[in-house]
Structure formats: C-alpha cells, structure tokens
Amino acid sequence: MPDTTERRPYHHGNLRTDLLDAAERRLRVHGVEQLSLRDLARDVGVSHAAPRRHFADRRALLDALAESGFMRLGAKLRAAVNGIDDKDDLPARLQAFAWAYVQFATENAELTGLMNSRKRRPGATVVAEAAAAAFGQISDLIEEGQERGELEGDDPEGIGLILYATVLGITSMLNSGMIEPARLEGLVGTAVTQFLRGARPTEPR
C-alpha cells in the first residue's frame, strides 16, 4: 500500500524567520485568535512538526512574535533619535522618538496590541526585556535633559512614562477610529510640546 502520509520538508534554512513573517501576516489579516503552528506550517510549506523545532507551543510563538516586534520598534526609535544632528536638541529628539513610535504603532496595529499584551504575561521574560530595551531610550533622553537642567525631577523613567502614555493614547484613538489620520502629526507635536512645558523646571537653575 502506498504511503499516503503528507510528505513535506522537515528542515528549512530560515524556518524561524519565515514562521514569524507568516505569523505577522496572518495576525494582520485575521487577528491573534487565528494564529496556530499548524496553519503557519501550511503557509510556509513545511511539515506540521517542523515549527516545534523553534516554538514549543503557540504561547512560545506569540512571545517570539512580540519580542521580534519590540526589537524592530527599538531599532526604529533609535534610528529616529540618532537622525537628529544636534544631540543637545531635546525637543527635536523627543519629537522624533514620539513620531517614530506612533508611525510603528499605527502601521502595525495588531502587532502592537500583541506586543503590549505579551510583555505583561507572567514568565515572558524575553518579551519584557525587549520592551524595556526599546522604551529605555526615552528614559535616557529624559535623563540627559535633567542633567542639562532642561527638565525637572529625578525619575526619568516615571517622567518618560507620561509621554509614552500620551502617545499610546493617541495611537489607540486612531487605531480605533476615534480620530482622523490627518490629525495625527499635529496631535503628536502638541503632545510633546505640552509635555516639555510641564516638565521644565519652575525656577531657572
């Protein structure tokens, strides 16, 4: 009797990367509930067992997808901030940071939602570390401003969280249809301006 077992390749040179790419495409179109290792194996064209060489289960896949997202976000934020020639121009660097985040979050709405939910999952250490590395950059900017006397306070992480919460709110409103895309750039600019106004020292140093 001929062997009717599905014959698909088990080995795949860039399987992990291809699975994550396929997962993000499926996430964008169908949402997180439609992500499964079996479907991704079929999308990529490998055996159903092959993905488990890289992801023990669906939870590991989602964590890896979130980690990858934070790494990409971190690189985008870093490039935006480093793109400002004047390293002492705090307003411009904060504007660049905020705008880069908003662009990423609105262009990758489903992925951003997954990232934000997975980083809070107990045991998702690698995701939390990737998130901290991405957003730690804003704390560095705030700390630089404090050292130069441009900003008050001694808690750069807490102060940076205020700006992050503001731009997160703006992107959430856009992604849910509460505000029009045409207003996005103006709202981000206003958010950073108002943040800086409130964070400046009340008395010159």
Side-chain angles (χ1 to χ4, degrees), residues 4-204:
T4 58
T5 303
E6 181 182 29
R7 294 186 179 276
R8 293 187 178 183
Y10 192 88
H11 298 288
H12 195 288
N14 297 302
L15 180 57
R16 188 179 192 277
T17 299
D18 288 351
L19 286 169
L20 289 175
D21 289 345
E24 188 170 343
R25 289 193 297 270
R26 185 170 284 270
L27 174 68
R28 189 184 296 272
V29 175
H30 301 291
V32 68
E33 297 304 322
Q34 296 299 315
L35 284 179
S36 72
L37 291 174
R38 178 175 289 268
D39 287 340
L40 293 179
R42 184 166 54 250
D43 290 346
V44 174
V46 294
S47 70
H48 291 159
R52 295 190 183 276
R53 290 171 59 89
H54 300 282
F55 310 112
D57 51 27
R58 182 176 182 274
R59 183 174 66 178
L61 168 69
L62 296 181
D63 283 351
L65 188 57
E67 180 190 10
S68 174
F70 278 119
M71 292 175 66
R72 283 166 46 200
L73 173 60
K76 183 178 181 68
L77 297 175
R78 190 174 303 106
V81 172
N82 290 341
I84 303 300
D85 292 333
D86 186 352
K87 303 309 179 186
D88 292 332
D89 190 342
L90 180 63
R93 298 182 85 195
L94 286 175
Q95 287 277 5
F97 183 98
W99 183 240
Y101 171 79
V102 168
Q103 285 182 308
F104 181 93
T106 53
E107 293 170 1
N108 304 276
E110 297 82 6
L111 177 61
T112 300
L114 174 69
M115 290 159 55
N116 289 333
S117 65
R118 300 306 290 186
K119 72 179 180 181
R120 296 190 298 269
R121 186 184 70 78
T125 305
V126 293
V127 181
E129 290 175 349
F135 292 117
Q137 298 177 69
I138 194 170
S139 298
D140 294 340
L141 290 175
I142 299 299
E143 187 172 5
E144 291 174 13
Q146 290 173 334
E147 290 175 351
R148 292 196 299 266
E150 298 177 42
L151 302 176
E152 64 179 357
D154 55 4
D155 180 13
E157 183 177 353
I159 294 175
L161 185 61
I162 296 172
L163 179 58
Y164 168 59
T166 303
V167 294
L168 178 63
I170 292 172
T171 58
S172 297
M173 293 174 70
L174 178 73
N175 289 340
S176 63
M178 295 177 64
I179 59 176
E180 297 295 325
R183 299 188 61 192
L184 187 59
E185 188 170 358
L187 287 172
V188 173
T190 299
V192 175
T193 299
Q194 294 293 338
F195 166 79
L196 287 168
R197 183 175 300 166
R200 288 194 178 101
T202 55
E203 296 291 337

